[in-house]
């Protein structure tokens, strides 16, 4: 089983939530929040496909947490660029 796919979805959900929580435009924040929920649902689908439970969902990776810090320094456009590359 490839846990990288699950981790990618978890990280994307985490980063979209950060974008939503820090966005000043309510309409844009709503889109980011919806994207976070979609990515989370993808992670849950991967778990189910692999006969795993939601309790086995991994936490955001160190990479995602570092990207959050970089976003605080250079702005959230950096995070968004990484998500677009993903």
């Amino acid at each position: 089983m490839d846990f990288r796919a699950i981790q990618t979805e978890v990280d994307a959900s985490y980063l979209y939530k950060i974008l939503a929580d820090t966005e000043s435009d309510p309409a844009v924040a709503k889109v980011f929040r919806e994207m976070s929920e979609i990515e989370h649902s993808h992670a849950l689908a991967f778990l189910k496909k692999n006969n795993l439970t939601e309790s086995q969902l991994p936490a955001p990776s160190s990479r995602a947490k570092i990207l959050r810090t970089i976003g605080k320094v250079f702005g959230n456009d950096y995070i968004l660029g990484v998500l677009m590359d993903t």
Side-chain angles (χ1 to χ4, degrees), residues 15-25 28-34 36 76:
L15 292 170
Y16 275 121
K17 183 177 182 324
I18 289 166
L19 294 176
D21 291 346
T22 57
E23 177 57 51
S24 60
D25 183 329
V28 176
K30 182 178 184 261
V31 171
F32 287 146
R33 201 163 286 109
E34 290 171 357
S36 176
N76 285 338

Side-chain angles (χ1 to χ4, degrees), residues 34-52:
E34 290 171 357
M35 291 300 297
S36 176
E37 292 168 6
I38 289 167
E39 298 297 344
H40 183 75
S41 72
H42 291 165
L44 295 178
F46 277 121
L47 286 175
K48 184 176 180 179
K49 180 180 176 183
N50 291 287
N51 297 316
L52 300 171

